């Protein structure tokens, strides 16, 4: 009897601890976050809970006989059951009979929040952009390269792309291809953080673009992109993106292959003592780059998600460099061949917990391995052949944790930490260089958001220990602690006016390749080397943003960089050596104006103006520098929509002369055009484009500082004709994987690869 009673008590205890769980979706299977679940035990209301962002719910109950589910815009549903694993519950939309509804209102294009600008995807945006890449191009200060293979943010040395708050680490070309694969209808909003807060890990003067997608359901969707581009050399690109969602599992795969060649030519003239050196160079780079990326998420009990990422980027390049030099009566012919291979292997494990009460915890464990092997053969007339075999290995291990909690009084707290260990081994023939780095970082921030104003205070602390071991004299052993504060204020005095002020401080560490103390001959009179004595660059930035009517945006920025990184030259006799160095201080004032105009239903335009002043001071090899110059850029994009699903786009850009340290760069311009048409019931598109129609995109650099006096006129394959086919297939509302903000994003970016 006692044993039987004990069994009953144990069974009752287990029953009391049992969980009720399930998922709520709409009639198409799309998750309904924030749905209200009322749970009844013995016909009495026992508990009320909400579904999380993925539509899941769970609760501990002593018993269950019915539950009532309600969601805004959907018919409520009552389920009579004693089962605890309920599976998926589908709600039907409320159907209303209306004679006529005529809604007129202003659709905002750009809105400001405490620490970022946001483009919300509405009908106005859809008329200007067909995919994620084109939406990004609508933002102030953003430039898409003419070949659509790079994204630039005004005043930023680097740019980080994120999807759903998670960093996507790919080459610039693959990032552009991936964004083109995301149609406008799958994007909810795009966030632009030109001055990222303490939570985000960025290297120096880096901006962030964060793309947030809409909710999705089970099924398969994907995008296939084929393109060819012809200049002097041909480029071929094939890429595919596939997403699969089923129940609690979501898998995403991306694969691409790029093949092509790129020719650049330069005419250089350098003053010697005595005489003049004239050089004509031709540089041809051929590549074959496969890449694949697999990411998966598995939802656990609704509030928790486990994820993993495997990524491999590989490249096989063959570079050839030919130089004809004339120095008085002497002439030199130099030929260089440089076959090289490189690859990244990246592995990520992650965990995420998120509830509807404002609590979120994420954990990331990362490992990344980089290998590069380069063989250079240099042949110069009248000289002994020179060869370099260079091998580089980089391993990065990181652990990263972030915690966020929001309160009902509009306050939000964020804290996190990161530990990173980097080991690099570099060999050039018999020379060796080993560099190790340990980074320990922690941050905290507190913010408040209210109807007319908001604020955020943050502080990030980073402790770095670096050690170098080389057969040469210089050893970059150092240890430093940096406290990086940030402040954000925003104010909306009326519906048409919005102001945001941000202040922050960051550090920028040198790329690992810049620290290698190896010397490479380019020709008998030119060489380059690394600099293991590089110091960390420190950036301070203040930014004021004004938005009118949620469309027109004006951004004013002041930034200051101490121990500014730049390429430096010093001349010893007739030999010119190129090396990275700390060039002193750079102060920049920058203004960006973004002005979209809808001329008519079939004609939309986007105008951008950038103006700024760059001021450089410092002690260089040739003497002291104190110089500044104003520069400006104007760009316009005209989009015309015609019958038959045709679109014509004409873009133009003019860039004035500018000054970068001692390098004076002359003006340039570019005019490009494209025509596209929707096919296959608007699931696919064809696009024919030509860039730099008038061949006005050139690089012309002039230097006259101290003993250094030279000019460099460069041309490249700027005029290209390209044909692109993009096909969107499958279910267009699949739950996609959450691309991770991997802990090694900063270190991997510094590989310079």
């Amino acid at each position: 009897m006692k044993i039987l009673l004990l069994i009953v008590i144990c069974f009752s205890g287990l029953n009391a601890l049992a969980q009720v769980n399930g998922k709520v979706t709409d009639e198409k299977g799309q998750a309904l976050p924030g749905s209200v679940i009322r749970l009844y035990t013995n016909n009495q209301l026992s508990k009320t809970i909400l579904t999380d962002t993925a539509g899941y719910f769970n609760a501990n109950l002593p018993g269950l006989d019915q539950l009532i589910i309600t969601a805004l815009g959907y018919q409520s549903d009552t389920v009579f059951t004693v089962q605890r694993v309920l599976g998926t519950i589908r709600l039907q939309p409320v159907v209303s009979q209306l004679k006529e509804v005529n809604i007129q209102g202003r659709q905002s294009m750009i809105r400001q929040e405490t620490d970022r600008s946001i483009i919300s995807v509405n009908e106005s945006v859809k008329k200007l952009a067909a995919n994620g890449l084109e939406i990004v191009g609508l933002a102030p200060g953003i430039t898409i390269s003419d070949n659509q293979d790079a994204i630039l943010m005004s005043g930023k040395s680097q740019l980080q792309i994120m999807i759903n708050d998670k960093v996507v680490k790919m080459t610039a070309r693959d990032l552009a291809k991936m964004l083109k694969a995301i149609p406008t209808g799958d994007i909810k909003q795009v966030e632009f953080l030109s001055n990222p807060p303490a939570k985000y890990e960025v290297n120096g003067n880096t901006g962030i673009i964060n793309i947030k997608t809409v909710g999705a359901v089970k099924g398969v969707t994907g995008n296939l992109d084929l393109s060819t581009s012809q200049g002097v050399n041909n480029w071929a690109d094939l890429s595919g993106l596939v997403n699969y969602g089923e129940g609690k599992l979501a898998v995403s795969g991306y694969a691409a292959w790029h093949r092509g060649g790129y020719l650049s030519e330069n005419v250089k003239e350098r003053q010697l003592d005595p005489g003049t050196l004239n050089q004509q160079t031709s540089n041809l780079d051929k590549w074959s780059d496969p890449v694949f990326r697999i990411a998966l998420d598995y939802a656990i009990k609704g509030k928790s998600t486990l994820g993993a990422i495997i990524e491999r980027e590989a490249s096989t390049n063959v570079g050839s460099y030919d130089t004809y030099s004339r120095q008085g009566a002497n002439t030199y012919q130099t030929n260089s061949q440089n076959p090289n291979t490189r690859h990244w292997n990246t592995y990520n494990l992650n965990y995420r917990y998120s509830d509807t009460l404002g609590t979120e915890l994420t954990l990331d464990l990362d490992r990344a391995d980089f290998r590069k092997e380069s063989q250079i053969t240099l042949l110069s007339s009248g000289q002994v052949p020179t060869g370099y075999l260079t091998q580089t290995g980089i391993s990065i291990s990181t652990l990263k944790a972030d915690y966020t909690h929001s309160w009902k009084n509009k306050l939000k707290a964020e804290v996190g930490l990161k530990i990173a260990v980097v080991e690099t081994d570099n060999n050039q023939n018999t020379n060796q260089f080993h560099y190790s780095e340990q980074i320990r970082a922690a941050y905290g921030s507190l913010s408040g958001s209210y109807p007319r104003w908001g604020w955020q205070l943050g502080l990030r602390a980073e402790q770095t220990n670096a050690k170098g071991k080389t057969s040469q004299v210089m050893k970059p052993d150092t240890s430093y602690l940096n406290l990086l504060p940030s402040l954000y204020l925003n104010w909306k005095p009326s519906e048409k006016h919005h102001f945001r002020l941000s202040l922050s401080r960051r550090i920028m560490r040198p790329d690992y390749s810049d620290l290698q103390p190896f010397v490479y001959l380019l020709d008998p009179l030119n060489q380059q080397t690394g600099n293991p004595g590089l110091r960390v660059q420190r950036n301070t930035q203040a930014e004021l943003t004004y938005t009118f009517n949620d469309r027109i945006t004006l951004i004013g920025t002041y930034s200051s960089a101490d121990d500014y990184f730049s390429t430096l030259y010093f001349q010893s006799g007739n030999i010119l050596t190129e090396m990275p160095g700390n060039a002193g201080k750079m102060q920049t004032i920058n203004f960006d104006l973004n002005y979209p105009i809808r001329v008519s239903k079939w004609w939309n335009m986007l105008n951008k103006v950038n103006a700024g002043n760059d001021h450089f001071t410092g002690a260089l090899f040739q003497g002291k520098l104190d110089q500044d110059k104003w520069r400006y850029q104007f760009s316009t994009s005209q989009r015309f929509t015609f019958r038959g699903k045709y679109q014509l786009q004409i873009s133009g850009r003019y860039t004035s002369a500018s000054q970068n340290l001692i390098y004076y760069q002359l003006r340039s311009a570019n005019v490009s055009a494209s025509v596209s048409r929707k096919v296959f019931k608007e699931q696919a598109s064809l696009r024919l484009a030509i860039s730099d129609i008038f061949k006005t995109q050139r690089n012309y650099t002039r230097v006259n500082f101290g003993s250094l006096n030279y000019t460099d006129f460069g041309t490249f394959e700027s005029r290209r004709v390209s044909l692109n086919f993009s096909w969107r297939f499958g279910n267009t509302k699949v739950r996609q994987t959450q691309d991770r903000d991997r802990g090694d994003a900063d270190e991997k970016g510094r590989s310079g690869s």
Side-chain angles (χ1 to χ4, degrees):
M1 185 67 181
K2 291 182 179 180
I3 296 176
L4 180 61
L5 180 60
L6 181 61
I7 293 174
V8 172
I9 293 174
C10 292
F11 179 81
S12 300
L14 291 172
N15 186 54
L17 295 175
Q19 280 194 342
V20 176
N21 60 73
K23 181 180 180 181
V24 179
T25 71
D26 62 12
E27 79 285 1
K28 297 179 180 179
Q30 185 172 351
L32 291 178
S35 300
V36 180
I37 313 295
R38 294 181 175 86
L39 303 165
Y40 290 82
T41 303
N42 299 325
N43 295 322
Q44 298 292 324
L45 180 61
S46 179
K47 184 174 291 188
T48 300
I49 58 175
L50 301 176
T51 58
D52 64 11
T53 55
Y56 292 99
F57 65 89
N58 63 73
N60 294 321
L61 286 178
L64 176 71
D65 48 49
Q66 66 171 303
L67 64 159
I68 300 175
I69 308 99
T70 58
L72 183 64
Y74 293 85
Q75 302 176 27
S76 62
D77 190 10
T78 301
V79 178
F80 296 94
T81 182
V82 295
Q83 296 182 3
R84 295 179 177 274
V85 181
L86 301 173
T88 300
I89 301 172
R90 296 177 183 264
L91 299 184
Q92 299 299 316
V94 175
V95 180
S96 301
Q97 300 293 330
L98 300 177
K99 294 181 179 180
E100 181 179 2
V101 177
N102 185 15
I103 301 176
Q104 294 182 344
R106 176 180 58 84
Q107 290 186 317
S108 63
M109 179 174 172
I110 300 177
R111 76 175 192 270
Q112 304 297 333
E113 290 193 355
T114 304
D115 56 6
R116 65 199 69 192
S117 301
I118 296 176
I119 292 181
S120 297
V121 177
N122 51 38
E123 292 304 317
S124 177
V125 172
K126 290 178 181 178
K127 289 182 172 64
L128 294 170
N131 55 55
L133 185 63
E134 294 182 357
I135 295 175
V136 168
L138 298 177
I142 297 295
T143 301
I144 308 296
S145 67
D146 301 302
N147 295 312
Q148 293 192 338
D149 57 1
I151 307 169
L152 304 174
M153 181 179 284
S154 177
K156 299 296 173 183
S157 58
Q158 299 178 35
L159 185 62
Q160 196 174 88
I161 304 295
M162 308 175 76
I163 296 180
N164 296 326
D165 299 311
K166 314 304 176 187
V167 170
V168 180
K169 182 58 186 176
M170 291 182 177
T171 63
R173 177 181 292 273
D174 278 305
L175 280 172
K177 291 287 184 183
M178 195 171 190
L179 295 186
K180 285 181 66 177
I182 307 176
T184 302
D186 283 6
I187 298 175
K188 180 171 59 177
Q189 64 185 35
V190 182
E191 302 173 345
F192 301 87
L193 297 88
S194 55
N195 199 4
K199 175 181 178 179
Y200 294 95
E201 175 190 13
V202 294
N203 190 34
N205 190 25
T206 298
I208 293 176
I209 297 176
N210 184 24
I211 298 171
K212 294 206 170 178
T213 59
V214 299
V217 297
K218 68 179 181 179
V220 176
T221 188
N223 192 88
L224 180 66
D225 191 271
L226 302 170
S227 66
T228 181
S229 175
Q230 185 65 48
V232 178
N233 293 276
N234 180 264
W235 298 354
D237 297 283
L238 169 63
S239 62
L241 174 67
V242 178
N243 294 294
Y244 170 76
E246 180 65 38
K248 298 181 179 182
L249 178 67
V251 181
S252 177
Y254 175 81
W257 176 74
H258 313 298
R259 179 199 60 81
Y262 193 74
L263 177 67
S264 59
E265 298 175 308
N266 295 77
V267 177
K268 304 177 182 179
E269 184 177 286
R270 176 159 59 95
Q271 296 299 317
L272 303 179
D273 187 17
T276 302
L277 173 66
N278 295 283
Q279 290 187 307
Q280 294 179 341
T281 66
S282 175
N283 190 2
L284 177 61
D285 184 32
K286 294 184 177 180
W287 64 83
S288 176
D289 301 338
V291 58
F292 76 85
R293 182 176 188 272
I294 299 175
L296 62 89
D297 287 336
Y298 184 79
I300 305 173
K301 299 179 181 179
K303 295 181 181 180
S304 299
T305 302
L306 283 176
I309 295 174
I310 300 176
E311 180 178 289
R312 179 178 173 86
E313 302 174 43
S315 177
T316 300
N317 285 38
V318 178
S320 61
Y321 182 85
D322 296 290
T323 302
Y324 174 78
S325 306
R326 187 178 73 252
Q327 181 189 2
N330 300 319
T331 61
Y332 309 92
Q333 184 71 39
T334 303
N335 174 263
S336 174
Q337 297 292 326
N338 178 21
N340 62 87
T341 60
R342 67 172 180 85
H343 70 263
W344 268 112
N345 290 332
T346 303
Y347 314 95
N348 168 268
L349 291 175
N350 57 78
Y351 169 80
R352 178 175 180 266
Y353 171 86
S354 178
D355 62 24
T356 57
L357 302 178
T359 299
E360 181 175 319
L361 172 67
T362 60
L363 300 172
D364 284 272
L365 180 63
D366 296 89
R367 172 73 180 193
D369 295 297
F370 173 75
R371 294 292 181 270
K372 181 177 181 180
E373 184 170 309
S374 174
Q375 186 170 1
I376 300 175
T377 303
L378 191 72
L379 300 174
S380 294
S381 55
Q383 305 255 345
V384 177
T386 303
Y388 303 101
L389 176 60
T390 305
Q391 296 173 320
T392 299
I394 304 174
S395 63
I396 305 171
S397 302
T398 59
L399 173 64
K400 185 171 177 285
D402 299 277
Y403 177 80
T404 302
H405 187 77
S406 301
W407 290 275
K408 294 181 179 180
N409 60 359
K410 307 297 184 181
L411 288 177
K412 180 180 179 181
E414 297 175 291
V415 294
L417 59 86
K418 170 195 167 182
I419 300 173
V421 178
V422 181
E423 299 287 341
T424 74
D425 285 294
N426 310 273
N427 298 280
Q428 183 204 56
N429 297 344
T430 59
N431 297 321
Q432 295 182 346
F433 173 59
H434 177 80
Y435 176 78
S436 63
E437 187 178 76
Q438 295 84 37
I439 301 173
R440 298 173 181 86
Y443 74 88
S445 69
L446 185 65
S447 60
S449 180
Y450 308 96
R452 293 292 182 184
W453 66 287
W455 57 273
Q456 182 185 118
L457 287 171
L459 179 64
R460 186 178 186 91
E462 296 186 356
Q463 169 68 43
T464 305
N465 297 316
K467 294 183 178 181
K469 183 179 181 181
T470 175
S471 56
Q472 302 184 23
V473 177
M474 302 180 70
K475 296 182 180 181
D477 294 0
T478 183
S479 178
Y480 50 89
L481 172 66
N482 287 276
L483 298 179
L484 309 172
S486 60
L487 168 67
Y488 301 84
L489 299 171
N490 80 88
W491 178 45
K492 191 174 184 179
S494 67
E495 289 301 317
K496 290 189 175 183
H497 304 280
H498 201 141
F499 298 88
R500 183 180 69 241
L501 174 67
S502 64
L503 305 169
S504 71
R505 186 170 177 82
R506 290 284 183 175
I507 63 169
M508 184 172 183
R509 300 178 178 89
D511 289 345
Y512 304 122
S513 59
D514 288 340
L515 297 172
Q516 298 176 0
F518 303 145
V519 178
Y520 297 90
L521 290 179
L522 303 177
D523 57 62
L525 297 175
N526 291 272
Q527 63 183 19
Q528 65 181 23
T529 181
N531 182 4
L534 277 171
R535 299 183 300 275
V536 169
Q537 175 181 311
R538 289 171 171 81
N539 293 83
T540 302
Q541 179 168 302
E543 183 178 278
L544 179 63
T545 302
Y546 167 69
T547 302
F548 174 74
N549 216 25
D550 289 337
R551 291 184 66 84
I552 303 173
T553 303
L554 176 64
I555 303 175
T557 305
Y558 168 80
S559 62
S560 175
D562 295 313
D563 284 330
Y564 169 64
F565 291 155
S566 184
T567 300
L568 304 180
Y569 291 89
F570 63 91
Q571 190 167 280
S572 177
N574 291 335
I575 297 179
L576 186 68
T577 301
E578 170 189 339
M579 66 178 291
N582 298 105
K585 186 172 185 176
M586 181 185 73
Q587 294 174 290
T588 298
I589 300 174
N590 200 70
F591 298 97
D592 284 288
L593 174 65
N594 202 69
Y595 189 14
I597 302 174
R598 186 183 183 190
V599 182
S600 66
K601 292 183 178 180
W602 53 272
W603 181 7
N604 288 277
M605 71 169 64
L606 177 63
N607 302 311
K608 296 185 179 184
V609 178
N610 170 263
N613 179 275
D614 302 312
H615 185 193
F616 301 92
T617 56
L620 307 181
F621 294 112
Q622 297 82 13
K624 290 186 177 181
L625 175 69
D626 188 351
Q627 193 167 4
D628 72 290
K629 181 175 177 57
W630 284 91
R631 37 84 185 158
Y632 58 91
Q633 181 183 84
F634 172 76
S635 65
T636 182
S637 177
Q638 316 286 324
R639 184 186 292 265
F640 306 92
T641 304
F642 303 110
R643 292 182 179 179
K645 302 176 183 178
Y646 285 96
Q647 277 194 347
L648 172 66
Q649 184 166 331
I650 301 175
S651 303
R653 181 169 64 250
Y654 174 82
T655 303
S656 72
S658 62
Q659 185 83 28
N660 182 10
L661 207 64
I662 62 174
Y663 315 105
Y664 181 82
Q665 297 174 317
L666 268 63
R667 63 184 181 275
S668 65
N670 189 301
V671 176
S672 303
S674 68
V675 60
S676 61
R677 188 185 189 278
K678 298 285 187 179
V679 295
F680 298 164
K681 298 181 180 179
E682 299 193 4
Q683 286 188 304
S685 67
L686 275 171
R687 181 177 180 268
L688 179 65
I690 180 170
S691 61
D692 196 13
I693 297 173
F694 304 107
K695 295 194 73 173
T696 51
Q697 187 72 35
R698 296 291 181 265
N699 290 332
Y700 187 91
T701 303
R702 186 170 66 222
V703 174
N704 187 3
F705 182 72
S707 61
L708 195 58
N709 189 340
Y710 75 88
T711 59
D712 184 352
F713 179 69
T715 60
F716 47 94
E717 298 185 44
S718 57
R719 179 190 285 175
R720 304 192 65 87
V721 177
S722 60
L723 179 64
N724 174 263
F725 172 75
S726 183
W727 175 41
R728 178 76 171 176
F729 59 86
N731 186 355
T732 60
K733 292 184 179 180
V734 177
R735 173 177 170 263
Q736 299 180 359
T737 54
Q738 304 172 36
D739 288 85
R740 304 297 304 168
D741 180 5
R742 300 203 301 265
D744 63 350
D746 180 31
E747 289 73 26
K748 192 175 176 185
R750 290 167 54 208
S751 69
S753 305

Coordinates of all heavy atoms in Angstrom, one line a residue, residues 36-40 45-49 64 66-70:
V36 N -2.5 35.3 -28.3 CA -2.9 35.1 -26.9 C -3.4 33.7 -26.7 O -4.4 33.3 -27.4 CB -3.9 36.1 -26.5 CG1 -4.3 35.9 -25.0 CG2 -3.4 37.6 -26.7
I37 N -2.8 33.0 -25.8 CA -3.2 31.6 -25.5 C -3.8 31.6 -24.1 O -3.1 31.9 -23.1 CB -2.1 30.6 -25.6 CG1 -1.3 30.8 -26.9 CG2 -2.6 29.2 -25.5 CD1 -2.0 30.5 -28.1
R38 N -5.1 31.2 -24.0 CA -5.7 31.0 -22.6 C -5.9 29.6 -22.4 O -6.6 28.9 -23.1 CB -7.1 31.8 -22.6 CG -6.9 33.3 -22.7 CD -8.3 34.0 -22.6 NE -8.2 35.4 -22.6 CZ -8.1 36.2 -23.7 NH1 -8.2 35.6 -24.9 NH2 -8.0 37.5 -23.7
L39 N -5.3 29.1 -21.3 CA -5.3 27.7 -21.0 C -6.2 27.4 -19.8 O -6.2 28.1 -18.8 CB -3.9 27.2 -20.6 CG -2.8 27.5 -21.7 CD1 -1.4 27.3 -21.1 CD2 -3.0 26.5 -22.8
Y40 N -7.1 26.4 -19.9 CA -8.1 26.1 -18.9 C -7.8 24.7 -18.3 O -7.6 23.7 -19.0 CB -9.5 26.1 -19.5 CG -9.9 27.5 -19.9 CD1 -9.5 28.1 -21.1 CD2 -10.8 28.3 -19.0 CE1 -9.9 29.4 -21.4 CE2 -11.2 29.5 -19.4 CZ -10.7 30.1 -20.6 OH -11.2 31.4 -20.9
L45 N -9.9 29.2 -15.9 CA -8.7 29.8 -16.5 C -7.5 29.6 -15.7 O -7.5 30.1 -14.5 CB -8.9 31.3 -16.8 CG -7.8 32.0 -17.5 CD1 -7.5 31.5 -18.8 CD2 -8.1 33.5 -17.6
S46 N -6.5 28.9 -16.2 CA -5.3 28.6 -15.4 C -4.1 29.5 -15.7 O -3.4 29.9 -14.8 CB -4.9 27.1 -15.6 OG -3.8 26.8 -14.9
K47 N -4.0 29.8 -17.0 CA -2.8 30.7 -17.4 C -3.1 31.3 -18.7 O -3.7 30.7 -19.6 CB -1.5 29.8 -17.4 CG -0.3 30.6 -17.7 CD 1.0 29.7 -17.6 CE 1.2 29.3 -16.1 NZ 2.5 28.6 -16.0
T48 N -2.5 32.5 -18.9 CA -2.5 33.2 -20.2 C -1.1 33.5 -20.6 O -0.3 34.1 -19.9 CB -3.3 34.5 -20.1 OG1 -4.7 34.3 -19.6 CG2 -3.3 35.3 -21.4
I49 N -0.8 33.1 -21.8 CA 0.6 33.3 -22.3 C 0.5 33.8 -23.8 O -0.6 33.9 -24.4 CB 1.4 32.0 -22.3 CG1 0.7 30.9 -23.1 CG2 1.6 31.5 -20.9 CD1 1.5 29.6 -23.3
L64 N -5.1 20.0 -18.2 CA -5.5 20.8 -19.4 C -6.8 20.1 -19.9 O -6.9 18.9 -20.1 CB -4.5 20.8 -20.5 CG -4.9 21.5 -21.8 CD1 -5.0 23.0 -21.5 CD2 -3.9 21.3 -22.9
Q66 N -9.0 22.5 -22.1 CA -9.3 23.3 -23.3 C -8.4 24.5 -23.3 O -7.8 24.9 -22.3 CB -10.7 23.8 -23.3 CG -11.1 24.7 -22.2 CD -12.5 25.3 -22.4 OE1 -12.8 25.9 -23.5 NE2 -13.4 25.1 -21.4
L67 N -8.2 25.1 -24.5 CA -7.5 26.3 -24.7 C -8.2 27.2 -25.8 O -8.7 26.6 -26.7 CB -6.0 26.1 -25.0 CG -5.6 25.4 -26.3 CD1 -4.2 25.7 -26.7 CD2 -5.8 23.9 -26.2
I68 N -8.1 28.5 -25.6 CA -8.6 29.5 -26.5 C -7.5 30.3 -27.1 O -6.7 30.9 -26.4 CB -9.7 30.3 -25.9 CG1 -10.9 29.5 -25.3 CG2 -10.3 31.4 -26.9 CD1 -11.9 30.3 -24.5
I69 N -7.4 30.4 -28.5 CA -6.4 31.1 -29.1 C -7.0 32.3 -29.9 O -7.9 32.1 -30.7 CB -5.6 30.2 -30.1 CG1 -5.1 28.9 -29.4 CG2 -4.4 30.9 -30.7 CD1 -6.1 27.7 -29.7
T70 N -6.4 33.5 -29.7 CA -6.9 34.7 -30.4 C -5.7 35.4 -30.9 O -4.6 35.4 -30.3 CB -7.7 35.6 -29.4 OG1 -6.9 36.0 -28.3 CG2 -8.9 34.9 -28.9

